[in-house]
Amino acid sequence: MLQTVTTPAEVRAFTAGLSGKRLALVPTMGFLHAGHQALIAEGARRADAVAVSIFVNPTQFGPTEDLARYPKDLDGDLRKCAEAGAVLVYAPQVATVYPPGFQTSVDVERVSKGLDGASRPGHFRGVATVVTKLLALFRPHVALFGEKDYQQLQVIGALARDLELGVEIVGVPTVRDEDGLAMSSRNTYLSPQERAQAPMLSGGLMAAEALVQAGELDVGQIKKIIRHALREGPWKEDFVEVVDAVTLEPLAQLTPGRPARALAAAFLGKTRLIDNVALEP
Ligand code: PAF
């Protein structure tokens, strides 16, 4: 049976009742899809109980971003959580998470810079702060995040290590639609025509992955093939970058045996899409 709670006191009552059982936490902003369900299912494999938080965190949205129109479907989310094996949903109000007088934030300095951190100032401070609060409240053994938000995953890994939160941060591979488009709650913004063009982004990244598998080490060539995929349709590139898979430092050349990552962000009409792939030179 899925239990839904809205206050930290109720969460603490739940975790106190676990009496030492392993807990997995899946933090989300709701409007769940198969990608979130994969996180819950992986949590169920790694722990005895899975809790999901559903909270559209205002502090990680910039002033011109989509906070006001971010999609919501709590009934659908609860059904998907139960289906995937969660036992608790924490869906707090904004004033519960950020009561009057709230003034603390968590800044993960290096890995938050560049990429989405450069395009979305303050975004990772908002993410790191709310995730730290959730990890401190639930004290889970493991917390799961999608690799689709690859920089976010590295930011959260760093804060969990640096603050010695005693939680294992697990990245789960991106779940894709049949045509390759990475699942995202924001895909709902796409018009039918944009939805048909959207897989060009994953197509470019997968072409880059194949190029590296065929032996290419020059980052210029790798970026070129990604940009080539976005040449048709109303794409506006935000960034195309190839970085070290752990530090996220930009690379000019791949080194055999050193894992790298290709990341891209681009606007399709008004919708900003992001995606990334592992490069294993
Ligand atoms: O990935 C998300 O949905 C959010 O950034 C997270 C991790 C739930 C923090 O609000």
Side-chain angles (χ1 to χ4, degrees):
M1 255 298 280
L2 184 72
Q3 189 190 347
T4 307
V5 301
T6 58
T7 66
E10 289 169 302
V11 171
R12 281 190 283 269
F14 164 78
T15 54
L18 286 175
S19 48
K21 282 192 192 153
R22 277 177 68 81
L23 174 64
L25 176 65
V26 177
T28 80
M29 298 208 300
F31 209 70
L32 304 183
H33 49 66
H36 296 109
Q37 288 189 300
L39 300 179
I40 298 170
E42 185 58 29
R45 275 190 286 277
R46 290 170 178 262
D48 305 304
V50 184
V52 177
S53 62
I54 296 179
F55 179 62
V56 182
N57 175 36
T59 65
Q60 69 187 74
F61 288 78
T64 61
E65 292 183 357
D66 55 343
L67 173 62
R69 64 176 186 133
Y70 197 83
K72 288 193 175 67
D73 175 19
L74 188 59
D75 289 344
D77 289 347
L78 296 179
R79 191 172 31 76
K80 287 172 194 163
C81 285
E83 218 174 74
V87 295
L88 181 100
V89 167
Y90 174 49
Q93 296 296 313
V94 173
T96 304
V97 178
Y98 300 113
F102 187 91
Q103 56 185 297
T104 302
S105 63
V106 177
D107 234 323
V108 179
E109 295 203 358
R110 283 188 301 280
V111 92
S112 295
K113 296 251 166 23
L115 306 166
D116 281 309
S119 302
R120 306 182 66 190
H123 170 66
F124 287 121
R125 180 182 306 122
V127 169
T129 303
V130 81
V131 170
T132 301
K133 281 186 64 115
L134 290 165
L135 294 175
L137 175 61
F138 279 88
R139 309 218 157 245
H141 294 82
V142 52
L144 300 102
F145 300 86
E147 284 185 351
K148 191 197 143 243
D149 295 298
Y150 190 77
Q151 189 176 13
Q152 166 173 284
L153 177 61
Q154 303 311 315
V155 167
I156 294 167
L159 77 82
R161 276 193 305 278
D162 291 351
L163 301 178
E164 296 171 34
L165 297 181
V167 58
E168 185 190 355
I169 302 300
V170 173
V172 175
T174 302
V175 177
R176 298 178 180 281
D177 275 336
E178 271 175 27
D179 58 9
L181 177 66
M183 289 204 181
S184 164
S185 308
R186 289 187 166 101
N187 291 349
T188 185
Y189 300 150
L190 299 170
S191 69
Q193 197 196 352
E194 288 166 346
R195 175 63 192 81
Q197 292 163 327
M200 290 175 186
L201 183 62
S202 54
L205 288 162
M206 283 168 195
E209 192 180 17
L211 191 66
V212 171
Q213 270 162 16
E216 183 63 72
L217 297 175
D218 180 59
V219 166
Q221 294 302 322
I222 298 166
K223 286 184 184 175
K224 202 162 149 189
I225 204 169
I226 299 169
R227 292 191 165 119
H228 188 70
L230 303 180
R231 75 198 178 283
E232 277 163 27
W235 290 97
K236 195 169 153 283
E237 178 187 318
D238 184 351
F239 61 78
V240 170
E241 206 46 90
V242 173
V243 299
D244 177 273
V246 179
T247 64
L248 305 190
E249 277 160 33
L251 300 173
Q253 186 76 16
L254 301 186
T255 308
R258 178 180 178 187
R261 204 95 190 172
L263 298 94
F267 287 90
L268 187 51
K270 287 201 171 76
T271 306
R272 185 173 181 276
L273 298 178
I274 60 170
D275 200 351
N276 67 86
V277 291
L279 301 178
E280 274 144 22

